[in-house]
Amino acid sequence: MTDLELLNREQKEAVFHTEGPLLILAGAGSGKTRVLTYRMAHLIDECGVNPWNILAITFTNKAAGEMRERVDRIVGYGSESIWVSTFHSMCVRILRRHIDRLGFDQSFTIYDTEDQKTVMKDVCRRLQVDTKMYKERVLLNAVSHAKDEYVSPEEFRLNAQGDFRQEKIGQIYLEYQKELKKNNALDFDDLIVKTVELFQSCPDVLEYYQDRFRYIMVDEYQDTNTVQFKLVSILAKKYQNLCVVGDDDQSIYKFRGANIGNILNFEKNFPNTRVIKLEQNYRSTQNILDAANGVIHNNCRRKEKALWTENEKGEPIIFRHFQNAYEEAEYVAGEIRKKVQSQDAEYRDFAVLYRTNAQSRMFEEKFLLANIPYKIIGGVNFYSRKEIKDILAYLKTIDNGKDDLAVHRIINVPKRGIGAVTINKVQAYADSVNISFFEALESADRVPGIGKAILKIQPFVHLIHELRLKLADMTLEKLIREILDRTGYDRDLKEEGTEEADARLDNIGELVSKAVVYEEGAEHPRLSEFLEEVALVADIDSLEDQDNRVLLMTLHSAKGLEFPYVCMAGMEDGIFPSYMSIMAEDPVTEMEEERRLCYVGITRAMKELTLTAVRARMIRGENQYNQVSRFVREIPQELLGSKSVLPPEPKVFQAAENKAFTKAKEIFRTKTFDPQQFKVVKADHLDYKAGDRVAHVKFGEGTVLDITEGGRDYEVKVNFDRAGIKKMFASFAKLKKVESL
């Protein structure tokens, strides 16, 4: 028998409502997992439902395991017959039995990311696709997105009519699927797509599973994509006993394909739906919940609800505004040490949340100096990130070239066509004459059997030599930018156009900022000294492993977690919400997603919430001046502590310029794709000079600080009134001189 005294009134309602569609709107910290497990127990113990007929779907194996354990504890005998699994593991079990009906062998292989890349490479080679124009990663992302939306290759090509690039991607998608079929393989997305296809083409198989799963429960429903919605809808169609649990206010994975419409339109898709709201929160103080409610109420596309608690009112929300990120990190580190030393808290009680991974660098350095143990969640330590290690390897090679490990790392990054066989020959020669690997590259003409590979090695050696010569007259900032430009490292990332690539660019920008700060503070800045300083900070692995550590993570990684003390850093417009969301084609939708992310961050805090912002943040080596985040201003001011002082609210300027920018993007999008459009054509002269006022379609008005004439184009440095200092190529920037009155 299940003890229902542990449940509140709304939770009990959700447990007892067993027949027909049910939407449980479960606010943050409202005990939704408890409701789901008790509901399964009630179905078995009180309603006499066979455990065999229950299906519970979660998003992660960890969540599935935890739910399984809870059900086992409550129900005991027979609970092992309940299917508790992720979408993907459920589909694998079904396909292993029936995929022969779709023309596959039941022993099909599931391809991982590396396997997918290999197949895509083969497809591109066979179709003679230029992988500089169509990057494999970008193509795989496009295919994955299509599958999330349940769009077949044929549909994709039909939708792309008139768009040359999309038509090409459609052709690649078709060939990619053919290749998978030939190899009797499925990729991760196919597992769900093929299960839907199976159900749609084989009514007898569908009926079997509809009868098998008479009671279906789906957790984190706000995170489902279109094809997952389709799968659940088909399975539940016969008996309609579908219970979904989710919170539209915590839908933050749009970039992964999540469709918030699935939860918002649930009642339309399933008539006679019972809606139950779980608004009582068991995690946070009332002040924290009021702050979260105050922010999220500014969203229009949501189900109305307001979190409340029987917990105490709690401490006011702390807001601190600093001059720069250095002061911000110093304050956070100081507050943590103060609380730990006074024995009010342990390190594990604290979490620092930020919008992008690049923001972790300053906190990592401060925590190391303050001897505060910490751990990065959902990512790697700043100096351990691939792109940072790559650029540092270039700097080490330029510095002395004796670090074989560094040279090995970058010899083919970005790809230069220097294969493993060539590298082994060079290394063997270096070992035989007792010289470094780079010295062997310098003498590559003496390496036995090197052949034509020397033509690929020499440009790399020349690049390193050239940058060494320039080092004496070049700042570290310029040196890093030169490496990025000459190697095409940042260009490749920009062309990739993915969230991951953008994050990597942000990290590189943060390394540039580090170099600028080092040079400003050093009496005689030297590359070797900079590398020594970085090495001291980067030696983080020497920290002994312990659980009692402050956690650093992005807001996305914080979902589902809770901490007594939470600090949300970088609360500035342009950082959070991100600049991309402010200037998006559909700013309303993007802003609502960012606001939901803010809501998730706030509701992670149990006892105390701190928000920090800075007046000037160094981004990619340049100071940017941003306003305090609009999300901070949306918190009712009476909730902020007496020391929390907000600067005056900025004038409204956004709407008109955002409109102009959107229109410009629409015009660009309607044109047929022509590679010639992107060819840089250097102007004979510019209509403006240093000191002139100019206007940019995206950044608004600003003052020209400097113009540098390069071989390919003019580089213009502009201090924009709103966006701060930006460097840009004249041919792309299309700046217009503003005539003074």
Side-chain angles (χ1 to χ4, degrees):
M1 292 288 287
T2 54
D3 183 10
L4 299 176
E5 292 308 307
L6 297 171
L7 305 179
N8 64 37
R9 185 169 59 83
E10 289 78 18
Q11 289 174 331
K12 285 176 184 173
E13 277 182 47
V15 167
F16 294 147
H17 187 87
T18 58
E19 306 302 309
L22 174 64
L23 169 62
I24 303 173
L25 292 170
S30 61
K32 65 179 176 66
T33 309
R34 179 188 292 175
V35 169
L36 278 178
T37 49
Y38 271 78
R39 193 170 184 274
M40 281 187 265
H42 178 72
L43 281 167
I44 296 165
D45 289 343
E46 305 300 324
C47 304
V49 173
N50 190 329
W52 171 266
N53 295 131
I54 299 173
L55 167 67
I57 304 172
T58 65
F59 266 80
T60 64
N61 288 316
K62 183 173 178 279
E66 286 173 1
M67 191 174 287
R68 162 67 64 198
E69 280 177 26
R70 288 202 194 191
V71 174
D72 286 348
R73 278 202 304 271
I74 299 171
V75 177
Y77 181 75
S79 64
E80 67 280 354
S81 302
I82 301 172
W83 265 34
V84 183
S85 68
T86 63
F87 274 102
H88 293 96
S89 58
M90 174 187 83
C91 291
V92 169
R93 286 176 72 176
I94 293 169
L95 292 173
R96 286 288 182 212
R97 286 187 66 183
H98 306 284
I99 201 170
D100 56 316
R101 305 281 289 271
L102 297 177
F104 287 78
D105 193 277
Q106 288 171 333
S107 60
F108 62 86
T109 306
I110 301 169
Y111 276 0
D112 61 17
T113 308
E114 286 307 309
D115 297 327
Q116 287 177 264
K117 281 180 188 170
T118 305
V119 172
M120 189 58 80
K121 272 180 192 168
D122 290 343
V123 168
C124 289
R125 190 166 55 246
R126 200 160 55 248
L127 294 178
Q128 296 181 316
V129 171
D130 182 357
T131 50
K132 287 181 180 172
M133 274 185 68
Y134 300 89
K135 301 247 177 236
E136 286 136 18
R137 192 192 288 267
V138 175
L139 292 170
L140 286 168
N141 280 339
V143 168
S144 179
H145 180 67
K147 290 178 181 179
D148 284 349
E149 293 298 312
Y150 198 57
V151 175
S152 67
E154 294 75 19
E155 254 185 290
F156 193 100
R157 293 176 77 183
L158 204 65
N159 295 338
Q161 282 184 355
D163 186 328
F164 174 77
R165 183 176 175 84
Q166 289 300 99
E167 281 181 354
K168 193 70 180 173
I169 293 172
Q171 187 190 357
I172 294 164
Y173 178 13
L174 184 65
E175 285 303 310
Y176 172 80
Q177 289 303 114
K178 284 180 181 174
E179 192 65 18
L180 289 181
K181 181 87 182 277
K182 194 179 85 178
N183 297 347
N184 194 44
L186 304 179
D187 65 21
F188 209 53
D189 297 311
D190 276 332
L191 295 172
I192 302 176
V193 171
K194 293 298 173 190
T195 307
V196 173
E197 281 181 21
L198 175 73
F199 287 160
Q200 289 183 326
S201 58
C202 305
D204 58 321
V205 176
L206 172 60
E207 192 173 13
Y208 170 81
Y209 285 101
Q210 284 178 333
D211 287 334
R212 167 80 196 265
F213 303 129
R214 297 187 183 207
Y215 294 87
I216 301 169
M217 280 164 266
V218 184
D219 196 12
E220 303 289 1
Y221 190 68
Q222 77 279 347
D223 295 335
T224 53
N225 59 32
T226 301
V227 72
Q228 288 165 339
F229 161 75
K230 208 160 185 71
L231 177 67
V232 169
S233 301
I234 292 170
L235 268 177
K237 192 173 181 183
K238 187 172 180 180
Y239 292 99
Q240 296 282 305
N241 295 326
L242 172 63
C243 166
V244 301
V245 184
D247 183 5
D248 52 303
D249 290 335
Q250 295 188 74
S251 179
I252 59 171
Y253 295 122
K254 181 170 168 276
F255 67 96
R256 288 186 196 163
N259 183 353
I260 194 172
N262 291 348
I263 191 165
L264 293 179
N265 300 324
F266 188 82
E267 295 126 290
K268 288 181 189 170
N269 295 318
F270 295 91
N272 305 316
T273 293
R274 174 77 183 278
V275 180
I276 296 172
K277 297 177 184 180
L278 305 183
E279 296 170 294
Q280 184 176 355
N281 175 284
Y282 294 91
R283 175 187 298 156
S284 309
T285 65
Q286 192 60 55
N287 273 342
I288 290 169
L289 297 181
D290 287 345
N293 290 333
V295 171
I296 203 64
H297 281 164
N298 289 277
N299 273 6
C300 297
R301 287 189 75 206
R302 64 183 294 266
K303 303 277 190 183
E304 190 53 45
K305 54 189 158 322
L307 295 179
W308 63 276
T309 185
E310 290 180 349
N311 298 339
E312 61 185 0
K313 191 174 179 183
E315 296 295 318
I317 311 300
I318 300 163
F319 171 72
R320 293 287 183 272
H321 200 194
F322 302 100
Q323 281 301 123
N324 51 51
Y326 180 90
E327 288 182 9
E328 178 184 51
E330 196 164 46
Y331 168 79
V332 173
E335 289 300 298
I336 291 172
R337 284 200 71 179
K338 207 184 294 178
K339 279 192 167 64
V340 171
Q341 285 172 353
S342 64
Q343 297 185 335
D344 290 338
E346 295 184 89
Y347 289 118
R348 65 167 62 89
D349 295 332
F350 295 88
V352 181
L353 312 181
Y354 35 75
R355 182 64 181 84
T356 65
N357 268 309
Q359 290 168 257
S360 76
R361 197 262 307 172
M362 192 64 77
F363 290 104
E364 289 183 62
E365 293 192 6
K366 280 292 167 196
F367 286 2
L368 278 167
L369 287 169
N371 207 23
I372 294 172
Y374 71 89
K375 184 179 181 181
I376 303 275
I377 302 295
V380 292
N381 298 319
F382 183 81
Y383 290 105
S384 301
R385 292 168 195 166
K386 180 187 180 301
E387 57 280 6
I388 301 302
K389 291 180 85 167
D390 287 346
I391 304 304
L392 288 176
Y394 268 103
L395 293 173
K396 287 173 186 175
T397 304
I398 293 163
D399 189 41
N400 65 34
K402 295 285 170 60
D403 188 337
D404 282 3
L405 209 63
V407 184
H408 268 281
R409 182 177 185 92
I410 58 167
I411 182 70
N412 208 30
V413 175
K415 287 180 181 168
R416 299 184 174 90
I418 303 170
V421 173
T422 300
I423 291 169
N424 290 337
K425 283 177 182 174
V426 174
Q427 188 62 62
Y429 174 73
D431 294 341
S432 68
V433 296
N434 200 26
I435 58 175
S436 72
F437 182 66
F438 187 75
E439 288 170 321
L441 290 171
E442 292 176 306
S443 318
D445 54 337
R446 298 179 191 170
V447 175
I450 198 72
K452 288 183 181 177
I454 195 168
L455 298 173
K456 294 170 181 175
I457 290 171
Q458 283 173 338
F460 172 72
V461 172
H462 291 160
L463 173 68
I464 300 299
H465 283 166
E466 200 178 323
L467 292 173
R468 276 180 187 170
L469 287 169
K470 286 185 176 182
L471 187 56
D473 305 311
M474 191 183 277
T475 64
L476 286 179
E477 176 196 355
K478 284 217 168 137
L479 176 61
I480 296 171
R481 294 192 190 281
E482 188 91 356
I483 292 167
L484 295 169
D485 183 50
R486 295 285 298 277
T487 61
Y489 197 104
D490 61 341
R491 186 188 61 242
D492 286 354
L493 287 172
K494 284 171 186 169
E495 286 175 358
E496 194 175 302
T498 61
E499 290 268 341
E500 188 185 341
D502 288 345
R504 289 188 168 182
L505 284 167
D506 286 343
N507 289 332
I508 293 168
E510 187 59 29
L511 183 66
V512 173
S513 297
K514 168 72 180 174
V516 170
V517 170
Y518 160 75
E519 286 189 303
E520 286 174 352
E523 196 172 338
H524 303 291
R526 296 194 319 274
L527 175 57
S528 55
E529 192 179 75
F530 172 72
L531 289 168
E532 280 169 22
E533 187 174 304
V534 164
L536 288 171
V537 179
D539 191 24
I540 192 165
D541 293 335
S542 60
L543 282 172
E544 65 179 88
D545 191 34
Q546 54 172 311
D547 289 325
N548 191 20
R549 293 184 283 185
V550 178
L551 296 186
L552 298 173
M553 69 190 85
T554 64
L555 286 147
H556 282 102
S557 299
K559 176 107 183 305
L561 303 175
E562 58 183 40
F563 308 93
Y565 302 93
V566 168
C567 173
M568 291 170 64
M571 298 298 290
E572 305 125 43
D573 271 13
I575 303 295
F576 187 42
S578 71
Y579 189 74
M580 293 297 287
S581 63
I582 295 170
M583 302 305 290
E585 288 171 31
D586 183 1
V588 174
T589 300
E590 295 299 323
M591 194 57 63
E592 292 208 347
E593 178 95 355
E594 291 281 286
R595 190 172 281 111
R596 289 193 291 271
L597 189 56
C598 183
Y599 173 85
V600 165
I602 292 171
T603 53
R604 299 312 93 195
M606 299 162 74
K607 288 173 66 175
E608 197 172 286
L609 173 68
T610 301
L611 308 171
T612 61
V614 304
R615 292 176 178 86
R617 187 175 296 277
M618 193 170 282
I619 309 286
R620 298 182 175 90
E622 295 174 354
N623 271 322
Q624 285 190 12
Y625 300 87
N626 295 318
Q627 298 287 348
V628 170
S629 171
R630 62 195 69 191
F631 301 149
V632 176
R633 298 185 184 279
E634 288 171 358
I635 294 171
Q637 298 303 287
E638 65 270 17
L639 299 176
L640 300 178
S642 55
K643 292 181 182 177
S644 305
V645 180
L646 281 173
E649 197 159 350
K651 291 176 185 174
V652 178
F653 53 74
Q654 208 76 51
E657 289 184 10
N658 203 36
K659 202 172 176 183
F661 180 58
T662 304
K663 194 174 178 183
K665 288 184 83 168
E666 279 172 8
I667 293 167
F668 177 80
R669 239 186 10 260
T670 56
K671 291 184 180 177
T672 308
F673 178 79
D674 177 10
Q676 293 301 311
Q677 287 175 228
F678 302 99
K679 191 176 177 182
V680 176
V681 181
K682 185 179 175 181
D684 296 330
H685 70 283
L686 298 176
D687 299 329
Y688 48 84
K689 61 186 186 300
D692 283 348
R693 295 283 293 172
V694 292
H696 186 272
V697 67
K698 186 172 177 180
F699 303 126
E701 290 189 11
T703 305
V704 179
L705 299 178
D706 188 36
I707 299 173
T708 308
E709 187 170 354
R712 290 176 297 165
D713 200 359
Y714 297 96
E715 188 182 82
V716 186
K717 189 175 183 180
V718 184
N719 186 5
F720 290 104
D721 300 343
R722 291 190 292 104
I725 296 172
K726 304 281 181 188
K727 284 182 184 174
M728 52 194 69
F729 288 120
S731 56
F732 286 115
K734 297 188 177 8
L735 298 168
K736 302 286 184 193
K737 186 177 176 180
V738 179
E739 302 297 336
S740 55
L741 296 172

